[in-house]
Structure formats: structure tokens, C-alpha cells
Amino acid sequence: MTGAHKKYVSQFSMMGTVITITLFAPNQPIVEALYNYLATMDRVFSMNRPDSELMAINRHAGQHPVAVSPICFDLIQRAVTASQQQATSFNVLMGPVVKLWRIGFGGQTVPEQAAIDQALALTDPNAVVLDAAQHSVYLTHPGMMLDLGAIAKGYFADQMIGQLQAAGIDQAIVNLGGNVKLLGCNPTTPTGQWTVGIQAPKAPRGYPALQVVTTAKTVVTSGIFERYFRIGNRVYHHILDPQTGYPVARPIEQVSILTTNSEYAEILSTVAFFKGVTAGVNYINQLPQVEAIFIDHQQQIHTTAGLQHLSEGVYQYE
Ligand code: ADP
Ligand code: MG
């Protein structure tokens, strides 16, 4: 490897996941700036910090509006709007149901139906009052709870790439627990294209993980094998159905979205996950500049029309 091809990889644990920043020239100040940025965002959006802005909104549900920072207000506004549009799949008001199941956080039991019904009654995205002038958010019923777990990392990835660009950096990779966003041309390949590996769930031996060859885009995966528990043969995973209050039952193991904006990709990955292969492929095919790769329970791969199959498990995006 020549000097021009060196990678500088920084990694840290934050927000319950592993964050990796890859640069192609040493730049410790920008790495520290990005670390500090994420630490600040964690203090705003964490569900695990009672003093976060998000938890202040949740704690005062049914009591009064809570004024928050513009960053917090704006992301919540976009997340709630998307939830109103996608009410049967992506819904950031699923907090009470998420809390009930506690999947990935030590919960190992199926909640009582009465408790599920009660929690589901508190997930209406239209029961949120957003005041843009005051930057306030009001959850109008006690027990309502915002959970931005399905969108926040995408927003952070977009912001991190923006900060890298603003710092004059031409090429980089940010990876927030599998949510990947690329910047610029890959300096290690003649074409400047990147290859993004996608972990295939339960891949049989010798079966390659998926790879996407692409220009600088984002790749976001929603899957059920990151956080789940089993009772007997049933898998209870962490993507919960706003219509039933149960982990969504669909003939698919994971879906990866390829597009430019990572926040949008996060929403689409959840929406596509709910749609499954046939409806999901049709849905994504109608969206400009978005592609998707679905893996069903038989480990079969299904892609949208804009992806070119290069070789087994390898797809060309743009
Ligand atoms: P990952 O954490 O694997 O990246 P996702 O982006 O798919 O997963 O988001 C899953 C998280 O979003 C859950 O852990 C939970 O906090 C929250 N969540 C669960 N069900 C939904 C849903 N239907 N809509 C929006 N958020 C959800
Ligand atoms: Mg998501």
C-alpha cells in the first residue's frame, strides 16, 4: 500500500452502538469534533438519560409542552410528520410499546395483551402538538413517549458528513452501527467507487455477505437479527408493528436502502421492512434515486430495478 492509500480509522462506543470514522489523511481534530458532536446529540436525544431533552418531553406527556433546542425540535417535527404519513409502519410514537417489550434491554417475556392494548392507545402521531414559534413539543396524553431510535442515527450520519465537508475533507466513511454514509471518491480504487459490505443474516457457510459497489451514498439496513429474543421457535425482534403492538411479522429478514440522505434511508428501511419483498420492491422502484436489497427468510436476495447484479452477492449501484 502506498502512502496515498492509508486509512485512518477511529472507533468509539456511543449511543448503544459502535461508531467508526474512516479518513484517508490523519486529522485528529475533526475526529474529536465529531466525537463531541455525537456526545452532545446523545445528551439531547438519549432515552437512557433522564435529563435529555427528549426525556423531558416524554416526562411531561399529558402535562404541558416542553421547549427544546431547534435541532431537537426540527428532527422531532420531521420524524412525527413521517410517522403521520407512514402510520402503519414507521412511527416514532411507539415508545410505550418499545418500553413494554424491552427487546435488547433484558426483556424476555411477552407482555400481557391488556398492557399492549394500553400502550398502543398512546402511539397516535396526531396526538403531538408541535409549536414552531416556541420550539415546543407536547405529547397530549400521559404515558405517550417519543422514541427516535429508528431515525436519529441517519440524521447524525448526514450531519457528520456535512461537518467533514465543512472541514475541507474530501473522502470519508462514517458508520453508525451499520448505518453507513460515504463522502467523495474512494482514493483506494481506480474508479473512485466504494464497496460497502452488508452483513447477511444467518448466512450459510461459504455464502458471501452482500456487497454494493457505489459512488458516495448511504447504505442503511433494518433487520431483525440485531436485537431480539427467542421463546421456543418464535423470534421476538425490535421492530414493532404499530397496528398490533407485536414485532412485525413479515416474510423478510432484512432490507438495505441505498440513497443519498441517511435520515430518509432510515425511514424507508423501516417502511420497506413492513412491506416485505413484493410490495417493498414495487414501492422503492417508484421512488427516484433510491434502491433496496431485501433478504427473505430463505436467504433469497431481491433487489429493486436500478441495481445491477455483478456477481454472486455483489451489486452495482451508481
Ligand atoms: P436499528 O436499531 O437496528 O438500526 P431501526 O433503525 O430499524 O433499527 O430502529 C429500530 C428502533 O426503533 C427500535 O429499537 C425502537 O427503538 C424503534 N422502533 C421500533 N418499532 C418502530 C416502528 N414501528 N417505527 C419507528 N420506530 C420503531
Ligand atoms: Mg431504521
Side-chain angles (χ1 to χ4, degrees):
M1 231 185 201
T2 67
H5 292 178
K6 267 187 191 162
K7 283 186 189 175
Y8 297 82
V9 181
S10 309
Q11 200 163 62
F12 41 89
S13 293
M14 208 185 270
M15 301 171 166
T17 194
V18 177
I19 316 282
T20 310
I21 300 164
T22 304
L23 304 176
F24 297 87
N27 192 327
Q28 196 55 24
I30 190 69
V31 171
E32 274 167 35
L34 292 174
Y35 179 92
N36 291 336
Y37 166 73
L38 286 175
T40 305
M41 289 303 101
D42 193 43
R43 285 192 290 274
V44 174
F45 291 109
S46 177
M47 297 287 283
N48 303 316
R49 291 171 181 266
D51 59 340
S52 72
E53 294 188 30
L54 193 70
M55 286 312 285
I57 295 168
N58 290 341
R59 209 168 41 246
H60 295 108
Q63 297 171 8
H64 56 76
V66 175
V68 293
S69 61
I71 283 173
C72 185
F73 182 84
D74 290 348
L75 181 58
I76 289 172
Q77 187 166 50
R78 294 194 301 275
V80 169
T81 303
S83 303
Q84 288 164 344
Q85 289 161 354
Q86 309 289 352
T88 57
S89 56
F90 179 87
N91 182 357
V92 289
L93 275 304
M94 285 292 281
V97 185
V98 173
K99 193 179 164 200
L100 198 59
W101 284 88
R102 290 184 56 77
I103 290 166
F105 298 95
Q108 296 289 311
T109 54
V110 176
E112 302 274 337
Q113 189 60 45
I116 290 178
D117 293 343
Q118 216 172 13
L120 268 184
L122 297 168
T123 59
D124 181 1
N126 296 307
V128 182
V129 178
L130 295 160
D131 183 333
Q134 303 290 325
H135 284 138
S136 71
V137 182
Y138 181 33
L139 308 179
T140 53
H141 298 278
M144 284 179 72
M145 201 180 283
L146 278 165
D147 175 343
L148 301 180
I151 187 171
K153 278 185 287 171
Y155 167 70
F156 302 148
D158 290 333
Q159 292 296 312
M160 289 167 77
I161 290 294
Q163 291 176 27
L164 286 159
Q165 274 178 304
I169 289 163
D170 295 327
Q171 303 106 0
I173 310 168
V174 299
N175 184 340
L176 283 75
N179 178 335
V180 176
K181 186 157 178 163
L182 306 161
L183 171 64
C185 292
N186 185 348
T188 69
T189 60
T191 59
Q193 294 211 310
W194 304 87
T195 300
V196 180
I198 300 172
Q199 185 67 44
K202 285 199 298 188
R205 208 190 307 174
Y207 191 89
L210 288 174
Q211 292 185 321
V212 181
V213 180
T214 179
T215 56
K217 299 287 173 185
T218 189
V219 183
V220 173
T221 300
S222 268
I224 60 175
F225 281 90
E226 291 153 50
R227 272 184 269 145
Y228 66 95
F229 64 87
R230 264 175 209 281
I231 298 176
N233 285 328
R234 260 213 81 161
V235 170
Y236 294 90
H237 60 85
H238 75 315
I239 302 175
L240 300 166
D241 188 334
Q243 290 185 295
T244 64
Y246 271 71
V248 55
R250 284 282 180 257
I252 166 186
E253 296 213 345
Q254 73 178 38
V255 56
S256 301
I257 300 288
L258 298 97
T259 188
T260 307
N261 183 284
S262 203
E263 182 182 320
Y264 182 47
E266 284 265 18
I267 297 168
L268 290 180
S269 71
T270 299
V271 172
F273 188 84
F274 275 78
K275 288 188 184 291
V277 171
T278 308
V281 166
N282 289 337
Y283 176 74
I284 301 293
N285 272 339
Q286 288 165 13
L287 302 176
Q289 265 113 57
V290 186
E291 302 297 336
I293 304 176
F294 295 76
I295 302 181
D296 67 21
H297 288 318
Q298 284 73 47
Q299 310 302 315
Q300 294 300 309
I301 297 167
H302 309 262
T303 68
T304 48
L307 288 174
Q308 200 192 327
H309 190 197
L310 295 184
S311 58
E312 197 185 348
V314 184
Y315 295 85
Q316 169 87 40
Y317 180 33
E318 273 182 348

